[in-house]
Amino acid sequence: MKKSMLLITGLLVTVAVLFVNAMESENDGLEVGDVATGFELPNVDGKMVSLDSYKDAKGFVVIFTCNTCPYAKLYEQRIIELDKKYSGKGFPVIAINPNDISKQPGDAMEKMKERSSAKGYTFPYLRDDEQNVARAYGATKTPHVYVLNKEGNKLRVEYIGAIDDSPSEEADVSKTYVEDAINALLDGKKPAVTSKRAIGCTIKWKDA
């Protein structure tokens, strides 16, 4: 009996691991060092926004985020501050909401417009309805950050992951991963830390 239970447990674990690996392989996305793909998505102001719209940008801070995730809300002011601090230095924030609105109605465009206006967003807040951009980048959480650096006519991925080391209280932040990465790039160097696991809510994907 014990052997049978152990065998069943082992099989279940194996199936679970294979399932997780399969899910991850479907959404591998970009890695540090890759050339990032461009995109064009609708903004809360009704206009279409693409990375090509920013002729003077030295790079971008692309952040997959949303209205509804508690982690995204905790990081909201920090995202605003990132844009205020670095957009003038050539690294603007581009926020993208990829959540399936049938599962999260609070992430619909109208709700995004309300949130952007109420919080005074200084950056585009784009809607990725088809989730093609999130999948291409390999985003899995909200928030999930990609720091891109311009190299000629290409955008190179230099950092992927968390904004900092405190997903709860800003007062507890001791390591500012995104800021450190941008500062290094502005100094003509490569970031010392190129990836940190993003902590947040799982992106609400459309059903297959």
Side-chain angles (χ1 to χ4, degrees):
M1 183 66 178
K2 287 184 178 179
K3 288 183 179 180
S4 298
M5 289 301 294
L6 285 172
L7 180 60
I8 292 169
T9 302
L11 287 171
L12 288 173
V13 169
T14 301
V15 170
V17 169
L18 290 172
F19 177 76
V20 170
N21 288 340
M23 292 296 289
E24 288 179 351
S25 66
E26 288 177 3
N27 200 31
D28 286 339
L30 298 174
E31 296 180 356
V32 172
D34 286 349
V35 173
T37 51
F39 53 79
E40 186 177 54
L41 293 170
N43 190 19
V44 289
D45 64 1
K47 298 177 181 178
M48 299 297 291
V49 171
S50 71
L51 300 183
D52 292 337
S53 306
Y54 293 77
K55 301 301 181 185
D56 298 327
K58 298 175 183 178
F60 298 94
V61 185
V62 177
I63 304 179
F64 293 89
T65 187
C66 68
N67 284 4
T68 54
C69 171
Y71 288 99
K73 292 177 182 179
L74 286 167
Y75 270 113
E76 187 173 39
Q77 189 57 42
R78 279 174 269 183
I79 292 171
I80 292 170
E81 294 303 320
L82 275 174
D83 187 64
K84 288 181 178 178
K85 186 172 183 177
Y86 290 106
S87 60
K89 297 179 181 181
F91 281 85
V93 166
I94 308 292
I96 301 174
N97 188 334
N99 275 347
D100 177 13
I101 60 174
S102 71
K103 296 176 180 175
Q104 288 288 11
D107 285 317
M109 179 61 91
E110 285 305 314
K111 296 296 183 180
M112 289 169 58
K113 290 177 182 178
E114 291 173 10
R115 186 105 192 156
S116 175
S117 176
K119 297 295 181 177
Y121 285 5
T122 55
F123 46 84
Y125 190 22
L126 311 180
R127 179 82 206 141
D128 184 15
D129 268 326
E130 299 304 315
Q131 303 182 321
N132 292 331
V133 179
R135 290 191 182 281
Y137 274 63
T140 59
K141 299 289 196 313
T142 53
H144 203 149
V145 185
Y146 294 75
V147 175
L148 313 181
N149 187 44
K150 270 192 178 178
E151 293 181 358
N153 62 350
K154 296 180 180 178
L155 283 167
R156 188 80 57 186
V157 181
E158 300 288 357
Y159 173 84
I160 300 175
I163 292 173
D164 54 42
D165 64 345
S166 179
S168 54
E169 296 298 328
E170 184 177 2
D172 295 333
V173 172
S174 62
K175 297 184 184 298
T176 53
Y177 306 125
V178 169
E179 288 196 23
D180 293 348
I182 300 171
N183 288 336
L185 294 170
L186 288 171
D187 288 340
K189 303 174 183 177
K190 291 289 186 180
V193 176
T194 57
S195 65
K196 283 290 179 179
R197 185 170 66 92
I199 296 175
C201 303
T202 303
I203 290 174
K204 305 304 181 285
W205 300 107
K206 294 177 180 292
D207 293 329

